[in-house]
Every structure is written in C-alpha cells, then in structure tokens.
Coordinates of all heavy atoms in Angstrom, one line a residue:
M1 N 268.4 119.7 92.0 CA 268.0 118.8 93.2 C 266.5 118.5 93.0 O 265.7 119.4 92.9 CB 268.3 119.5 94.5 CG 268.0 118.6 95.7 SD 269.0 117.2 95.8 CE 268.1 116.2 97.0
L2 N 266.2 117.2 93.1 CA 264.8 116.7 93.0 C 264.0 117.2 94.2 O 264.5 117.2 95.4 CB 264.9 115.2 93.0 CG 263.8 114.4 92.3 CD1 263.8 114.7 90.8 CD2 264.0 112.9 92.5
K3 N 262.8 117.6 94.0 CA 261.9 118.0 95.1 C 261.0 116.8 95.4 O 260.8 115.9 94.6 CB 261.0 119.2 94.7 CG 261.8 120.4 94.4 CD 260.8 121.6 94.3 CE 261.5 122.9 94.3 NZ 262.0 123.3 93.0
C4 N 260.4 116.9 96.6 CA 259.6 115.8 97.1 C 258.5 115.5 96.1 O 258.2 114.3 95.9 CB 259.0 116.1 98.5 SG 260.2 116.2 99.8
K5 N 257.8 116.5 95.6 CA 256.7 116.3 94.7 C 257.1 115.6 93.4 O 256.4 114.8 92.8 CB 255.9 117.5 94.4 CG 256.7 118.6 93.6 CD 255.8 119.7 93.3 CE 256.6 120.7 92.5 NZ 255.9 121.6 91.7
D6 N 258.4 115.9 93.0 CA 259.0 115.2 91.8 C 259.1 113.7 92.1 O 258.9 112.8 91.2 CB 260.3 115.8 91.4 CG 260.1 117.3 91.1 OD1 259.1 117.7 90.5 OD2 261.1 118.0 91.4
L7 N 259.7 113.4 93.3 CA 259.9 112.0 93.6 C 258.5 111.3 93.7 O 258.4 110.2 93.2 CB 260.7 111.9 95.0 CG 261.1 110.5 95.3 CD1 262.5 110.4 95.7 CD2 260.1 109.9 96.3
V8 N 257.6 111.9 94.4 CA 256.3 111.2 94.5 C 255.7 110.9 93.2 O 255.1 109.9 93.0 CB 255.3 112.1 95.4 CG1 253.9 111.6 95.3 CG2 255.8 112.1 96.9
A9 N 255.8 111.9 92.2 CA 255.3 111.7 90.9 C 255.9 110.5 90.2 O 255.2 109.8 89.4 CB 255.5 112.9 90.1
K10 N 257.1 110.2 90.5 CA 257.8 109.1 89.8 C 258.0 107.8 90.7 O 258.6 106.8 90.3 CB 259.2 109.5 89.4 CG 259.2 110.5 88.2 CD 260.6 110.9 87.9 CE 260.5 112.1 86.8 NZ 261.8 112.7 86.7
A11 N 257.5 107.9 91.9 CA 257.8 106.8 92.9 C 257.2 105.5 92.4 O 257.9 104.5 92.7 CB 257.1 107.2 94.3
D12 N 256.1 105.5 91.8 CA 255.5 104.2 91.3 C 256.4 103.5 90.3 O 256.6 102.3 90.3 CB 254.1 104.3 90.8 CG 254.0 105.3 89.7 OD1 254.8 106.2 89.6 OD2 253.0 105.2 88.9
A13 N 257.0 104.3 89.4 CA 257.9 103.8 88.4 C 259.2 103.2 89.1 O 259.7 102.1 88.7 CB 258.4 104.9 87.5
L14 N 259.7 103.9 90.1 CA 260.8 103.4 90.9 C 260.5 102.0 91.6 O 261.2 101.1 91.5 CB 261.2 104.4 92.0 CG 262.5 104.0 92.8 CD1 263.7 104.3 92.0 CD2 262.5 104.9 94.1
V15 N 259.3 102.0 92.2 CA 258.9 100.8 92.9 C 258.6 99.6 92.0 O 258.9 98.5 92.2 CB 257.7 101.1 93.8 CG1 257.0 99.8 94.4 CG2 258.1 102.0 94.9
D16 N 258.0 99.9 90.8 CA 257.7 99.0 89.8 C 258.9 98.4 89.0 O 258.9 97.4 88.4 CB 256.7 99.5 88.7 CG 255.3 99.6 89.2 OD1 255.0 99.0 90.2 OD2 254.5 100.2 88.5
G17 N 260.0 99.2 89.1 CA 261.2 98.9 88.4 C 260.9 99.3 86.9 O 261.6 98.7 86.0
A18 N 260.1 100.2 86.7 CA 259.9 100.7 85.3 C 261.1 101.4 84.7 O 261.9 101.9 85.5 CB 258.7 101.7 85.3
P19 N 261.3 101.3 83.4 CA 262.5 101.9 82.8 C 262.6 103.4 83.1 O 261.6 104.1 82.9 CB 262.4 101.6 81.4 CG 261.0 101.2 81.1 CD 260.4 100.7 82.4
M20 N 263.7 103.9 83.5 CA 264.0 105.3 83.6 C 265.5 105.5 83.4 O 266.2 104.5 83.5 CB 263.5 105.8 85.0 CG 264.2 105.2 86.2 SD 263.8 106.1 87.7 CE 262.2 105.4 88.1
T21 N 265.8 106.7 83.1 CA 267.2 106.9 82.8 C 268.1 106.8 84.1 O 267.6 106.9 85.2 CB 267.5 108.3 82.2 OG1 267.1 109.3 83.3 CG2 266.6 108.6 81.0
M22 N 269.3 106.5 83.9 CA 270.3 106.3 85.0 C 270.3 107.6 85.9 O 270.3 107.6 87.1 CB 271.7 106.0 84.5 CG 272.7 105.7 85.6 SD 272.2 104.2 86.5 CE 272.9 103.0 85.4
R23 N 270.2 108.8 85.1 CA 270.2 110.1 85.8 C 269.0 110.3 86.7 O 269.1 110.8 87.8 CB 270.2 111.1 84.7 CG 270.5 112.5 85.1 CD 270.2 113.5 84.0 NE 270.6 114.9 84.4 CZ 271.7 115.4 84.2 NH1 272.6 114.7 83.5 NH2 272.0 116.6 84.5
E24 N 267.8 109.8 86.2 CA 266.6 110.0 87.0 C 266.7 109.1 88.2 O 266.3 109.5 89.3 CB 265.4 109.5 86.2 CG 264.8 110.5 85.2 CD 263.7 109.9 84.4 OE1 263.7 108.8 83.9 OE2 262.7 110.6 84.2
R25 N 267.1 107.8 88.0 CA 267.2 106.9 89.1 C 268.2 107.4 90.2 O 267.9 107.3 91.4 CB 267.7 105.5 88.5 CG 267.5 104.3 89.5 CD 267.8 103.0 88.8 NE 266.9 102.7 87.7 CZ 265.7 102.1 88.0 NH1 265.3 101.8 89.2 NH2 264.9 101.8 87.0
L26 N 269.3 107.9 89.7 CA 270.3 108.4 90.6 C 269.7 109.6 91.4 O 269.9 109.7 92.6 CB 271.5 108.8 89.8 CG 272.9 109.0 90.6 CD1 273.2 107.6 91.2 CD2 273.9 109.5 89.7
A27 N 269.0 110.5 90.7 CA 268.4 111.7 91.4 C 267.5 111.2 92.5 O 267.4 111.8 93.6 CB 267.7 112.6 90.3
M28 N 266.7 110.2 92.2 CA 265.7 109.7 93.1 C 266.4 109.0 94.4 O 266.0 109.3 95.5 CB 264.8 108.7 92.5 CG 263.8 109.4 91.5 SD 262.7 108.3 90.7 CE 261.4 108.2 92.0
R29 N 267.5 108.3 94.0 CA 268.3 107.6 95.1 C 268.9 108.7 96.1 O 268.9 108.6 97.3 CB 269.4 106.7 94.6 CG 268.9 105.5 93.8 CD 268.5 104.4 94.8 NE 267.9 103.3 94.1 CZ 267.0 102.5 94.6 NH1 266.5 102.7 95.8 NH2 266.5 101.6 93.9
M30 N 269.4 109.8 95.4 CA 270.0 110.8 96.2 C 269.0 111.5 97.1 O 269.2 111.8 98.3 CB 270.6 111.9 95.3 CG 271.9 111.4 94.5 SD 273.3 111.1 95.6 CE 273.8 112.8 96.0
H31 N 267.8 111.7 96.5 CA 266.8 112.4 97.3 C 266.4 111.5 98.5 O 266.2 111.9 99.6 CB 265.5 112.7 96.4 CG 264.5 113.4 97.2 ND1 264.4 114.8 97.2 CD2 263.5 113.0 97.9 CE1 263.4 115.2 98.0 NE2 262.8 114.1 98.4
L32 N 266.2 110.2 98.2 CA 265.8 109.2 99.3 C 266.8 109.1 100.4 O 266.4 108.9 101.5 CB 265.5 107.8 98.7 CG 264.3 107.7 97.8 CD1 264.2 106.4 97.1 CD2 263.0 107.9 98.7
L33 N 268.1 109.3 100.0 CA 269.1 109.3 101.1 C 269.0 110.5 102.0 O 269.3 110.3 103.2 CB 270.5 109.4 100.4 CG 271.1 108.1 99.9 CD1 272.4 108.4 99.1 CD2 271.3 107.0 101.0
M34 N 268.5 111.6 101.5 CA 268.4 112.8 102.4 C 267.1 113.1 102.9 O 266.9 113.9 103.8 CB 268.9 114.0 101.5 CG 270.4 114.0 101.3 SD 270.9 115.4 100.3 CE 270.7 114.7 98.7
C35 N 266.0 112.4 102.4 CA 264.6 112.8 102.8 C 263.9 111.6 103.4 O 263.5 110.7 102.7 CB 263.9 113.4 101.6 SG 262.2 113.8 101.9
H36 N 263.7 111.7 104.7 CA 263.1 110.5 105.4 C 261.6 110.5 105.1 O 261.0 109.4 105.1 CB 263.4 110.5 106.9 CG 262.7 111.6 107.7 ND1 261.6 111.4 108.3 CD2 263.1 112.9 107.8 CE1 261.2 112.5 109.0 NE2 262.1 113.4 108.7
H37 N 261.0 111.6 104.7 CA 259.6 111.6 104.3 C 259.4 110.7 103.1 O 258.5 109.9 103.1 CB 259.1 113.0 104.1 CG 259.2 113.9 105.2 ND1 258.5 113.7 106.4 CD2 260.0 115.0 105.5 CE1 258.8 114.7 107.3 NE2 259.7 115.5 106.7
C38 N 260.2 110.9 102.1 CA 260.1 110.2 100.9 C 260.5 108.7 101.0 O 259.9 107.9 100.4 CB 260.8 110.9 99.8 SG 260.1 112.4 99.2
R39 N 261.5 108.5 101.9 CA 261.8 107.1 102.2 C 260.6 106.4 102.8 O 260.3 105.3 102.4 CB 263.0 107.0 103.2 CG 264.3 107.1 102.6 CD 265.4 106.5 103.5 NE 265.5 107.1 104.8 CZ 266.2 108.2 105.1 NH1 266.9 108.8 104.2 NH2 266.2 108.7 106.3
R40 N 259.9 107.0 103.7 CA 258.8 106.4 104.3 C 257.6 106.2 103.2 O 257.0 105.2 103.2 CB 258.2 107.3 105.4 CG 257.1 106.6 106.2 CD 256.8 107.3 107.5 NE 256.4 108.7 107.3 CZ 256.4 109.6 108.2 NH1 256.7 109.4 109.4 NH2 256.0 110.8 107.8
Y41 N 257.5 107.2 102.4 CA 256.5 107.1 101.3 C 256.7 105.9 100.4 O 255.9 105.1 100.1 CB 256.4 108.4 100.5 CG 255.5 108.3 99.3 CD1 254.1 108.5 99.6 CD2 255.9 108.1 98.1 CE1 253.2 108.4 98.5 CE2 255.0 108.1 97.0 CZ 253.7 108.2 97.2 OH 252.8 108.1 96.1
V42 N 258.0 105.8 100.0 CA 258.4 104.7 99.1 C 258.2 103.3 99.8 O 257.7 102.4 99.2 CB 259.8 104.9 98.5 CG1 260.3 103.6 97.8 CG2 259.8 106.1 97.5
R43 N 258.6 103.3 101.1 CA 258.5 102.0 101.8 C 257.0 101.6 101.9 O 256.6 100.4 101.7 CB 259.1 102.2 103.2 CG 259.3 100.9 103.9 CD 260.2 101.1 105.2 NE 259.6 102.0 106.1 CZ 260.2 103.0 106.7 NH1 261.5 103.3 106.4 NH2 259.7 103.9 107.5
Q44 N 256.1 102.6 102.1 CA 254.7 102.3 102.3 C 254.1 101.9 100.9 O 253.3 101.0 100.9 CB 253.9 103.5 102.8 CG 254.2 103.7 104.3 CD 253.5 105.0 104.8 OE1 253.1 105.8 104.1 NE2 253.5 105.1 106.1
L45 N 254.6 102.5 99.9 CA 254.1 102.2 98.5 C 254.5 100.7 98.2 O 253.7 100.0 97.6 CB 254.7 103.1 97.5 CG 254.2 103.2 96.1 CD1 252.6 103.6 96.2 CD2 254.9 104.1 95.2
R46 N 255.8 100.4 98.5 CA 256.2 99.0 98.3 C 255.3 98.0 99.1 O 254.9 97.0 98.5 CB 257.7 98.8 98.7 CG 258.6 99.4 97.7 CD 260.0 98.8 97.8 NE 260.8 99.2 96.7 CZ 261.8 100.1 96.8 NH1 262.2 100.6 97.9 NH2 262.5 100.5 95.7
A47 N 255.1 98.3 100.3 CA 254.3 97.4 101.2 C 252.9 97.3 100.6 O 252.3 96.2 100.6 CB 254.2 98.0 102.6
L48 N 252.3 98.4 100.1 CA 251.0 98.4 99.5 C 251.0 97.5 98.3 O 250.1 96.7 98.1 CB 250.6 99.8 99.1 CG 249.2 100.0 98.5 CD1 248.1 99.7 99.5 CD2 249.1 101.3 97.9
L49 N 252.0 97.6 97.4 CA 252.0 96.8 96.2 C 252.2 95.3 96.5 O 251.7 94.5 95.8 CB 253.2 97.3 95.3 CG 252.9 98.6 94.6 CD1 254.2 99.1 93.9 CD2 251.7 98.6 93.7
R50 N 252.9 95.0 97.6 CA 253.0 93.6 98.0 C 251.7 93.0 98.3 O 251.5 91.8 98.1 CB 254.0 93.5 99.1 CG 255.4 93.3 98.7 CD 256.3 92.7 99.8 NE 256.3 93.5 101.0 CZ 257.1 94.5 101.2 NH1 258.0 94.9 100.4 NH2 257.0 95.2 102.4
T51 N 250.7 93.7 98.8 CA 249.4 93.2 99.3 C 248.5 93.0 98.1 O 247.6 92.2 98.2 CB 248.8 94.2 100.3 OG1 248.4 95.3 99.7 CG2 249.6 94.4 101.5
L52 N 248.8 93.7 97.0 CA 247.8 93.6 95.9 C 247.6 92.3 95.3 O 246.5 91.8 95.1 CB 248.1 94.7 94.8 CG 247.9 96.1 95.2 CD1 248.3 97.1 94.1 CD2 246.5 96.4 95.6
P53 N 248.7 91.5 94.9 CA 248.4 90.2 94.3 C 247.6 89.3 95.2 O 246.8 88.5 94.7 CB 249.8 89.7 94.1 CG 250.7 90.9 94.0 CD 250.0 91.8 95.0
R54 N 247.9 89.3 96.5 CA 247.1 88.4 97.4 C 245.6 88.7 97.3 O 244.8 87.8 97.4 CB 247.7 88.7 98.8 CG 248.7 87.5 99.2 CD 249.2 87.7 100.6 NE 250.5 88.4 100.6 CZ 250.9 89.2 101.5 NH1 250.2 89.4 102.5 NH2 252.1 89.8 101.4
E55 N 245.3 90.0 97.2 CA 243.9 90.4 97.2 C 243.2 89.8 95.9 O 242.1 89.4 95.9 CB 243.7 91.9 97.2 CG 243.8 92.4 98.7 CD 243.7 93.9 98.7 OE1 243.1 94.5 97.8 OE2 244.2 94.5 99.6
T56 N 244.0 89.9 94.8 CA 243.5 89.4 93.5 C 243.3 87.9 93.6 O 242.3 87.3 93.2 CB 244.5 89.7 92.4 OG1 244.8 91.1 92.4 CG2 243.9 89.4 91.0
D57 N 244.2 87.2 94.2 CA 244.1 85.7 94.4 C 242.8 85.3 95.2 O 242.2 84.3 94.9 CB 245.3 85.1 95.1 CG 246.6 85.2 94.2 OD1 246.4 85.4 93.0 OD2 247.7 85.0 94.8
A58 N 242.5 86.2 96.2 CA 241.4 85.9 97.0 C 240.0 86.1 96.4 O 239.0 85.9 97.0 CB 241.6 86.7 98.3
L59 N 240.0 86.7 95.2 CA 238.8 87.0 94.5 C 238.0 85.7 94.2 O 238.5 84.9 93.4 CB 239.2 87.8 93.2 CG 238.2 88.8 92.7 CD1 238.0 89.9 93.7 CD2 238.7 89.3 91.3
D60 N 236.9 85.5 94.9 CA 236.2 84.3 94.7 C 235.1 84.5 93.5 O 235.0 85.6 93.0 CB 235.5 83.8 96.0 CG 234.6 84.8 96.6 OD1 234.1 85.7 95.8 OD2 234.4 84.8 97.8
D61 N 234.4 83.4 93.2 CA 233.5 83.4 92.1 C 232.4 84.5 92.3 O 232.0 85.2 91.4 CB 232.8 82.1 91.9 CG 233.8 81.1 91.3 OD1 234.9 81.6 90.9 OD2 233.5 79.9 91.3
A62 N 231.9 84.6 93.5 CA 230.8 85.5 93.8 C 231.3 87.0 93.6 O 230.6 87.8 93.0 CB 230.3 85.4 95.2
R63 N 232.5 87.2 94.1 CA 233.0 88.6 93.9 C 233.3 88.9 92.5 O 233.1 90.0 92.0 CB 234.3 88.7 94.8 CG 235.0 90.0 94.8 CD 234.3 90.9 95.8 NE 235.0 92.2 95.7 CZ 234.5 93.3 95.1 NH1 233.3 93.2 94.5 NH2 235.1 94.4 95.0
T64 N 233.8 87.9 91.7 CA 234.1 88.0 90.3 C 232.8 88.4 89.6 O 232.7 89.3 88.8 CB 234.7 86.7 89.7 OG1 235.9 86.4 90.5 CG2 235.1 86.9 88.3
Q65 N 231.7 87.6 89.9 CA 230.4 87.9 89.3 C 229.9 89.3 89.6 O 229.4 89.9 88.7 CB 229.4 86.8 89.7 CG 228.1 86.8 88.9 CD 228.4 86.7 87.4 OE1 229.1 85.8 87.0 NE2 227.9 87.6 86.6
E66 N 230.1 89.7 90.8 CA 229.7 91.0 91.2 C 230.4 92.1 90.3 O 229.7 93.0 89.9 CB 230.0 91.2 92.7 CG 229.3 92.5 93.3 CD 229.9 92.7 94.7 OE1 230.0 91.7 95.5 OE2 230.1 93.9 95.0
V67 N 231.7 91.9 90.1 CA 232.4 92.9 89.3 C 231.9 92.8 87.9 O 231.7 93.8 87.3 CB 233.9 92.5 89.4 CG1 234.7 93.4 88.4 CG2 234.4 92.7 90.8
L68 N 231.7 91.6 87.3 CA 231.2 91.5 86.0 C 229.9 92.1 85.8 O 229.6 92.8 84.8 CB 231.1 90.0 85.6 CG 232.5 89.3 85.4 CD1 232.2 87.8 85.1 CD2 233.3 89.9 84.3
D69 N 229.0 91.9 86.8 CA 227.7 92.5 86.8 C 227.8 94.1 86.7 O 227.1 94.7 86.0 CB 226.8 92.1 88.0 CG 226.4 90.7 87.9 OD1 226.5 90.1 86.9 OD2 225.9 90.2 88.9
R70 N 228.7 94.6 87.5 CA 228.9 96.0 87.5 C 229.4 96.6 86.2 O 229.0 97.7 85.8 CB 229.8 96.4 88.7 CG 229.1 96.7 89.9 CD 230.0 97.4 90.9 NE 229.6 97.0 92.3 CZ 230.4 97.1 93.3 NH1 231.5 97.6 93.2 NH2 229.9 96.7 94.5
L71 N 230.2 95.7 85.6 CA 230.7 96.1 84.3 C 229.7 95.9 83.2 O 230.0 96.2 82.0 CB 232.1 95.4 84.0 CG 233.2 95.8 84.9 CD1 234.4 94.8 84.7 CD2 233.7 97.2 84.7
N72 N 228.6 95.2 83.5 CA 227.6 94.8 82.6 C 228.1 93.9 81.5 O 227.8 94.1 80.4 CB 227.0 96.1 82.0 CG 225.6 95.9 81.4 OD1 224.9 94.9 81.8 ND2 225.1 96.7 80.6
I73 N 228.8 92.8 81.9 CA 229.3 91.8 81.0 C 228.4 90.6 81.2 O 228.3 90.1 82.4 CB 230.8 91.5 81.3 CG1 231.6 92.7 81.0 CG2 231.2 90.3 80.4 CD1 233.1 92.6 81.5
P74 N 227.8 90.1 80.2 CA 227.0 88.8 80.3 C 227.8 87.6 80.8 O 229.0 87.5 80.4 CB 226.5 88.6 78.9 CG 226.7 89.8 78.2 CD 227.8 90.5 78.8
Q75 N 227.2 86.8 81.7 CA 228.0 85.7 82.3 C 228.3 84.6 81.3 O 229.4 84.1 81.3 CB 227.1 85.1 83.4 CG 227.8 84.1 84.2 CD 227.0 83.6 85.3 OE1 225.8 83.9 85.5 NE2 227.5 82.7 86.2
D76 N 227.3 84.2 80.4 CA 227.5 83.1 79.6 C 227.8 83.6 78.1 O 226.8 83.9 77.4 CB 226.3 82.2 79.6 CG 226.0 81.7 80.9 OD1 226.9 81.2 81.6 OD2 224.9 81.7 81.4
R77 N 229.0 83.5 77.7 CA 229.4 83.9 76.4 C 230.4 83.0 75.8 O 231.3 82.6 76.5 CB 229.8 85.4 76.3 CG 228.8 86.3 75.8 CD 229.3 87.4 75.0 NE 230.2 88.3 75.8 CZ 230.5 89.5 75.5 NH1 230.1 90.0 74.4 NH2 231.3 90.2 76.2
Ligands
LIG101 ZN1 261.4 114.1 99.8

C-alpha cells in the first residue's frame, strides 16, 4: 500500500501526465480514493499548475529585462 509521502513524491508526475507504469498509476489512484489529504494535495497542485502559464504570459518587457539582468545576460546580442 502506497504511503502519503510516496504519493506526494510522485504527485507532480501524476498531475503532469508524465509516463509511469500502470501499476504505479493504479496504486496512486487507489491511495487517492482512500486518502482525502492526498486528494486535496493533488487538487491544489493542479490548481497551482493552471495558474503558471498565465503568469508567464503576463511577463512584460521590464520584468523580462530584470530577469535577464539578474542572470547577467547582455541585452543586445
Ligand atoms: Zn495520502
């Protein structure tokens, strides 16, 4: 039986749809059916991932330049 810490360690793969064996996927599904803590964790992880692309889209030129400056990448190349 999968433990909560095992599920949390693989939760990002589950949410991303990353390849995993049928056995792993089934073990995670079974755990999620029985454990509301992990269900909530996965739900929050999914919600968090949905917000990320929008933040990237909102990156304006000034913010992009700030990031480039921090990475020490010259502007004109
Ligand atoms: Zn759990």
Side-chain angles (χ1 to χ4, degrees):
M1 183 64 196
L2 210 63
K3 291 192 173 84
C4 291
K5 65 173 183 162
D6 302 324
L7 187 132
V8 166
K10 291 179 185 166
D12 57 336
L14 183 75
V15 170
D16 280 350
M20 62 173 80
T21 65
M22 188 63 83
R23 191 191 185 92
E24 280 178 316
R25 196 172 291 279
L26 201 61
M28 291 181 82
R29 293 278 172 213
M30 290 293 285
H31 184 93
L32 287 171
L33 280 174
M34 286 179 274
C35 179
H36 70 97
H37 300 292
C38 287
R39 270 203 304 275
R40 189 168 58 195
Y41 176 78
V42 167
R43 196 166 59 229
Q44 286 175 347
L45 195 61
R46 285 205 170 106
L48 179 70
L49 287 176
R50 272 199 300 273
T51 66
L52 290 179
R54 263 180 262 150
E55 282 178 24
T56 308
D57 290 344
L59 212 62
D60 58 24
D61 289 347
R63 182 82 181 101
T64 303
Q65 191 54 51
E66 191 188 319
V67 172
L68 291 178
D69 287 347
R70 269 196 213 160
L71 293 171
N72 201 21
I73 296 170
Q75 188 177 2
D76 302 312
R77 258 213 298 199

